[in-house]
């Protein structure tokens, strides 16, 4: 907890008090924009959106013991409301200004992570490493945008040893702005791939934008990146930061459903998350941990403790009248490269009966969308161990694939999801993956309804093959 003078808080936020606070200072413990998750002592920001007006939840904020509220419309503050209430013109700007000031107060070393694939998983791996060495705070879920990054900063305890923050983008300039706010000590780039092509136009532009997490960092910051990405190397060619690189040919010792063992610079590490790509993500964390001064044993301990985020190769078991249907839920998001990585990992798993893949369309692909969906369909259909491939959504509507195992369903509505659910059989092992907007996890809900007499069990895939 840290004391923040009320007057200073208001001045930084650019606001004025509609309801004056009592006492000289705020015992600051963080911020919230959602009363469902608001913790006692946090400051509640009442955002006005298209679907929801945060002012309607001011009574809930008081009930949950918020320390104060920040609003834009003082006339919407209910009668009898007693919490200190600050009025600002732009709550997003107020959050950002406060986050910048809080960054100056915290003592934490800041590690920021971006990439076309693997950002959130790498955050969890890095958080595991940092937690083995001290107290660490990590971005909740995927709080990586213009709103999530300031919230992450403001909720970082003042005495935390490290902050691991995810940084995302959807348009040019965002990475640099968020890096300027976070002012990192270490900047990690996991990968450069074909995501956000609609906004950025080319993989070259994506590499240049991602590189800003190093270029825009303080001069003493250290970059950690994979080797062998020519576009990224070109984007960093004139930058003066020290950069550590994971070898392009990582020595992968084992790779199965339980995770990976790999060797880097003569030392062996294990990560309890399947997929060869996650060995590379873990190797980035090894180098970053060494930059922080951690010994290899501490890093090993941290990687072993790491838990993946939700909807990243989660194993969900749907009980049926016969053998269970096993869903490998990798539905959080997708682009052409992450789709291929998921397929490569999935086909390495044992399947007692049919091996089925259900892929949702990839959004934000721009003009390259039709070609990328066709290429992905051909790649997936070329995997000989798949028994069935379902391609769901409008992005696959123009795909041509002469293979009896392939079914194209252009409708990704609930009706389309229901038709897929009805076609799955007892004993199937099913990979589901698609862009976040497609919400492929709806298939799990539909299957659970269809087999309501059974019950579903969710586990991380790494824990289900003990």
């Amino acid at each position: 907890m840290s004391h923040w003078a009320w007057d200073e808080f208001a001045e930084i936020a650019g606001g004025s008090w509609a309801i004056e606070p009592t006492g000289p200072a705020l015992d600051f413990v963080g911020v919230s924009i959602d009363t469902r998750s608001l913790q006692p002592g946090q400051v509640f920001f009442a955002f006005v959106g298209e679907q929801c007006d945060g002012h309607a939840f001011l009574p809930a904020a008081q009930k949950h013991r918020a320390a104060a509220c920040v609003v834009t419309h003082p006339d919407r503050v209910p009668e009898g409301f007693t919490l200190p209430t600050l009025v600002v013109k732009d709550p997003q700007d107020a959050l950002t200004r406060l986050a910048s000031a809080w960054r100056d107060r915290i003592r934490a070393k800041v590690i920021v992570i971006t990439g076309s694939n693997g950002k959130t998983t790498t955050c969890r791996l890095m958080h595991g490493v940092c937690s083995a060495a001290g107290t660490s705070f990590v971005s909740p879920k995927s709080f990586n945008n213009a709103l999530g990054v300031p919230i992450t900063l403001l909720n970082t305890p003042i005495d935390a040893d490290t902050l691991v923050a995810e940084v995302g983008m959807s348009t040019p300039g965002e990475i640099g702005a968020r890096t300027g706010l976070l002012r990192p000590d270490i900047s990690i780039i996991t990968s450069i791939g074909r995501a956000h092509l609609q906004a950025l136009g080319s993989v070259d532009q994506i590499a240049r934008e991602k590189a800003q997490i190093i270029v825009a960092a303080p001069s003493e910051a250290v970059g950690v990146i994979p080797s062998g990405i020519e576009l990224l190397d070109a984007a960093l060619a004139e930058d003066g930061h020290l950069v550590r690189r994971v070898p392009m040919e990582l020595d992968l010792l084992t790779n199965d459903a339980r995770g990976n063992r790999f060797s880097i610079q003569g030392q062996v590490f294990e990560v309890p998350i399947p997929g060869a790509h996650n060995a590379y993500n873990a190797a980035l964390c090894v180098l970053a941990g060494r930059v922080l001064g951690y010994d290899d044993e501490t890093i090993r301990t941290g990687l072993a403790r790491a838990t993946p985020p939700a909807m990243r190769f989660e194993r969900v078991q749907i009980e049926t009248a016969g053998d269970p249907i096993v869903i490998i839920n990798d539905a959080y998001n997708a682009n052409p490269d992450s789709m291929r990585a998921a397929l490569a990992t999935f086909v390495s798993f044992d399947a007692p009966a049919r091996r089925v893949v259900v892929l949702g369309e990839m959004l934000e692909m721009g003009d390259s969308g039709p070609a990328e969906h066709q290429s992905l369909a051909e790649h997936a259909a070329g995997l000989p161990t798949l028994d069935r491939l379902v391609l769901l959504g409008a992005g696959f509507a123009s795909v041509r694939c002469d293979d009896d195992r392939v079914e194209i369903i252009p409708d990704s509505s609930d009706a389309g999801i229901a038709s897929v659910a009805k076609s799955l059989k007892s004993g199937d092992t099913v990979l589901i993956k698609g862009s976040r907007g497609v919400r492929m996890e709806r298939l799990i809900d539909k299957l659970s309804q269809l087999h309501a007499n059974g019950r579903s069990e969710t586990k991380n895939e790494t824990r289900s093959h003990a």
Side-chain angles (χ1 to χ4, degrees):
M1 184 181 295
S2 174
H3 297 294
W4 206 336
W6 287 112
D7 289 345
E8 181 188 10
F9 185 88
E11 181 180 359
I12 293 170
S16 59
W17 295 107
I19 301 177
E20 292 277 350
T22 58
L26 163 67
D27 291 330
F28 186 73
V29 296
V31 300
S32 176
I33 60 171
D34 188 338
T35 56
R36 293 170 298 182
S37 57
L38 185 146
Q39 300 297 307
Q42 289 186 325
V43 177
F44 175 64
F45 279 71
F47 276 78
V48 178
E50 293 181 2
Q51 305 294 329
C52 184
D53 183 352
H55 296 76
F57 298 93
L58 291 173
Q62 182 160 292
K63 178 180 178 181
H64 292 299
R65 295 184 290 156
C69 294
V70 178
V71 304
T72 53
H73 295 76
D75 57 316
R76 299 181 190 176
V77 177
E79 289 188 20
F81 194 70
T82 59
L83 288 181
T85 302
L86 186 71
V87 182
V88 300
K89 290 183 178 180
D90 183 347
Q92 174 70 70
D93 179 64
L95 263 179
T96 303
R97 289 157 58 110
L98 288 165
S100 182
W102 190 246
R103 174 65 181 92
D104 292 333
R105 291 180 173 224
I106 61 175
R107 76 179 192 186
K109 292 287 187 181
V110 177
I111 304 98
V112 294
I113 300 172
T114 194
S116 299
N117 309 303
K119 294 184 292 294
T120 307
T121 298
T122 305
C123 277
R124 297 305 180 271
L125 292 170
M126 193 71 232
H127 177 57
V129 169
C130 293
S131 295
T135 58
S136 178
F137 185 76
V138 64
S139 298
K141 299 180 181 179
S142 293
F143 273 36
N144 62 23
N145 60 14
L147 187 58
V149 168
I151 290 172
T152 296
L153 256 176
L154 284 165
N155 285 337
T156 303
I158 197 166
D159 58 351
D161 295 315
T162 53
L163 163 62
V164 182
E166 180 175 334
V167 177
M169 67 169 187
S170 56
T171 58
E174 294 180 338
I175 295 285
R178 286 160 205 166
T179 302
L181 179 62
L182 286 159
R183 304 192 282 280
D185 298 281
I186 298 175
S187 296
I188 298 174
I189 301 174
T190 62
S191 60
I192 301 297
R194 292 162 286 177
H196 307 298
L197 286 170
Q198 185 172 2
L200 292 164
S202 69
V203 179
D204 178 56
Q205 285 300 111
I206 291 169
R208 292 180 182 278
E209 178 68 13
K210 295 292 188 185
Q212 290 301 307
I213 204 167
I214 296 175
V215 174
S219 60
E220 65 274 14
V222 177
V224 181
I225 66 174
S227 296
I229 304 178
E230 293 182 2
L231 291 175
L232 181 57
D233 290 339
L236 293 170
E238 297 183 5
D239 182 68
H241 288 87
L242 175 64
V243 177
R244 303 284 178 86
R245 289 174 167 82
V246 170
M248 188 163 51
E249 296 297 331
L250 192 66
D251 190 2
L252 193 58
L253 304 177
T254 62
N255 172 31
D256 56 32
R258 292 169 296 182
N260 302 281
R261 291 178 68 247
F262 63 93
S263 174
I264 182 170
Q265 297 171 347
Q267 295 295 315
V268 176
F269 298 87
E270 297 186 15
V271 57
I273 304 175
H277 55 291
N278 283 317
Y280 282 86
N281 292 335
L284 292 166
C285 297
V286 171
L287 295 190
R290 289 172 175 174
V291 171
L292 289 167
Y294 304 158
D295 59 57
D296 284 348
E297 195 55 42
T298 297
I299 296 171
R300 285 189 189 93
T301 299
L303 289 177
R305 291 178 182 172
T307 56
M311 292 193 288
R312 273 78 163 189
F313 267 81
E314 278 185 324
R315 183 183 189 273
V316 181
Q317 185 165 298
I318 308 293
E319 300 296 338
T320 73
D323 292 330
I325 298 172
V326 174
I327 306 293
I328 304 301
N329 179 8
D330 200 38
Y332 185 76
N333 215 340
N335 61 49
D337 303 297
S338 68
M339 286 284 207
R340 286 164 170 78
L343 287 165
T345 302
F346 179 64
V347 298
S348 71
F349 292 173
D350 292 331
R354 294 197 310 170
R355 183 181 277 114
V356 180
V357 169
V358 184
L359 300 180
E361 65 180 306
M362 301 174 291
L363 304 177
E364 299 183 39
M365 298 305 299
D367 293 341
S368 66
E372 291 291 357
H373 283 88
Q374 180 68 44
S375 176
L376 176 63
E378 292 173 0
H379 173 82
L383 298 171
T385 58
L386 294 189
D387 296 290
R388 185 167 178 240
L389 172 64
V390 180
L391 306 173
L392 187 72
F396 288 110
S398 63
V399 165
R400 297 294 176 263
C401 189
D402 186 17
D403 190 315
D404 292 339
R405 299 173 302 154
V406 180
E407 180 181 4
I408 299 172
I409 304 175
D411 178 16
S412 63
S413 69
D414 288 347
I417 289 286
S419 69
V420 176
K422 291 175 182 176
S423 71
L424 296 175
K425 300 177 181 179
S426 297
D428 283 350
T429 302
V430 186
L431 170 68
I432 61 171
K433 189 170 180 66
S435 281
R436 181 81 306 266
V438 186
R439 296 187 297 119
M440 291 297 294
E441 66 274 14
R442 289 177 295 155
L443 181 60
I444 298 171
D445 297 334
K446 183 56 66 176
L447 282 168
S448 296
Q449 293 170 14
L450 288 173
H451 302 279
N453 291 331
R455 59 191 179 93
S456 63
E457 296 180 356
T458 303
K459 302 177 182 178
N460 175 262
E461 176 61 21
T462 60
R463 295 175 182 170
S464 63
H465 288 74

